[in-house]
Amino acid sequence: MKEKTIKSENVFSGKLLHLYVDEVELENGHKAIREVIRHCEASAVLAIDDQERVLIEKQFRYPYGEDTLEIPAGKADPKEDPMETAKRELAEETGYAATSWLHLGDIYPSCAYTDEVIHIYLAQGLKPGTRHLDEGESLDYRFIKMTDLKTMVKDGLIKDGKTLAALAFYQAKLQ
């Protein structure tokens, strides 16, 4: 089912996102309003070491008012290749680099109201280095055994969508 955009108005432009209110025509001829958040692409990294431990970050997420456990991720710079984004974010947030990279898949985290795409990669052959957090970024990281992480998912301790998707991709493709 396709919708034709009749009018599009940018009602807010921020550093991270842009909000549009669009008028569309449906296939049946009726008109509707769509509120759409335009967002840059992002990449996320399921980093697994030689002991089958996953690198997990603990970060306070303001919209939820709580700490979340999630894989390293971040937004792409303009025209940046998604894998380069993944490599950069892993290094910036954790200091780690990887010798092996595999694209696991892409997700639409909230397809009802945003065009955001997150590209998910598997990183292995991890080598430690020095991290360089962005200004205004504060997070801790640690390695968690894959078996313990699966238990945490079952217990509802992992709520982040990209992390859950990465684990599902990994299980479906590689296990």
Side-chain angles (χ1 to χ4, degrees), residues 1-172:
M1 175 185 228
K2 301 246 183 205
E3 298 180 353
K4 179 182 173 188
T5 304
I6 299 168
K7 183 173 77 173
S8 181
E9 181 184 358
N10 182 350
V11 297
F12 174 80
S13 284
K15 190 173 154 185
L16 177 66
L17 53 90
H18 307 281
L19 174 61
Y20 287 80
V21 177
D22 294 354
E23 182 180 356
V24 299
E25 183 178 330
L26 308 176
E27 280 186 325
N28 64 8
H30 292 110
K31 293 184 178 157
I33 298 295
R34 302 286 183 243
E35 296 175 348
V36 181
I37 296 172
R38 302 284 179 204
H39 191 285
C40 63
E41 292 188 353
S43 293
V45 183
L46 181 65
I48 302 176
D49 71 6
D50 295 337
Q51 299 170 43
E52 280 294 301
R53 298 178 307 165
V54 179
L55 199 156
I56 292 292
E57 297 176 345
K58 179 180 170 185
Q59 188 171 11
F60 181 78
R61 292 299 190 178
Y62 181 80
Y64 299 103
E66 65 184 52
D67 288 329
T68 61
L69 298 174
E70 55 191 271
I71 60 176
K75 61 186 180 87
D77 290 335
K79 299 186 181 188
E80 184 177 35
D81 177 77
M83 184 176 285
E84 292 307 311
T85 303
K87 290 177 179 181
R88 178 178 49 76
E89 288 294 334
L90 180 63
E92 285 178 3
E93 294 182 358
T94 69
Y96 279 87
T99 59
S100 172
W101 289 88
L102 176 67
H103 179 248
L104 293 175
D106 301 328
I107 64 168
Y108 299 158
S110 299
C111 58
Y113 60 85
T114 181
D115 64 355
E116 182 180 15
V117 177
I118 301 176
H119 307 278
I120 300 176
Y121 292 89
L122 172 65
Q124 294 178 299
L126 301 180
K127 307 282 185 216
T130 304
R131 71 184 191 160
H132 305 281
L133 294 175
D134 291 335
E135 188 176 323
E137 191 171 40
S138 175
L139 58 89
D140 294 317
Y141 69 88
R142 67 181 192 263
F143 284 94
I144 298 177
K145 291 182 199 174
M146 182 65 81
T147 53
D148 293 342
L149 192 58
K150 288 178 180 178
T151 300
M152 294 169 77
V153 169
K154 281 192 271 184
D155 292 345
L157 299 175
I158 307 292
K159 299 175 186 174
D160 174 61
K162 68 186 172 296
T163 302
L164 294 169
L167 292 169
F169 280 138
Y170 179 73
Q171 186 166 358

